[in-house]
Amino acid sequence: MKNKLLYLLFFVAVIVCLSGVVMFLWNIILPQVTHLAKINYWQALGLAVLSRILFGRLSFGGPFGKYKGVGRAEILKDKLMTMDEADKAAFKEEWRKRCGRKDW
């Protein structure tokens, strides 16, 4: 229970700090460069959330678990290396159906 409370407090502190950074950078740079109006804290929080939705993932852990930071080619190679011969044959057959190539 104590760890959950600490994680929650840390998460709230990170959100508060990041929103403050967004507001600071917006108010320092954009009004001078593009003549946009300055924003308040809540608008900065909304902008940070919007940018997370548009440009980032909504989940923080990622779908690949142990493969975080590894490219898709390495993930596929790892999966293929751990398959037995029957699974490899089924995989190749499925790709033959999908791609329409007969020379595999």
Side-chain angles (χ1 to χ4, degrees), residues 30-100:
L30 289 177
Q32 295 175 0
V33 174
T34 61
H35 305 292
L36 291 172
K38 291 186 175 187
I39 62 174
N40 62 25
Y41 177 79
W42 297 109
Q43 290 170 326
L45 178 63
L47 186 63
V49 169
L50 180 63
S51 64
R52 177 75 178 190
I53 291 170
L54 294 176
F55 303 116
R57 295 188 314 253
L58 290 177
S59 63
F60 293 100
F64 298 114
K66 71 176 184 170
Y67 296 109
K68 189 169 185 137
V70 177
R72 291 183 181 178
E74 288 86 6
I75 295 169
L76 183 58
K77 183 178 179 182
D78 187 34
K79 287 182 180 181
L80 288 173
M81 296 302 286
T82 58
M83 286 184 180
D84 61 356
E85 292 303 318
D87 289 337
K88 285 182 185 179
F91 179 79
K92 288 179 182 179
E93 182 62 32
E94 180 64 31
W95 276 100
R96 275 190 204 111
K97 290 178 189 174
R98 289 184 184 190
C99 297

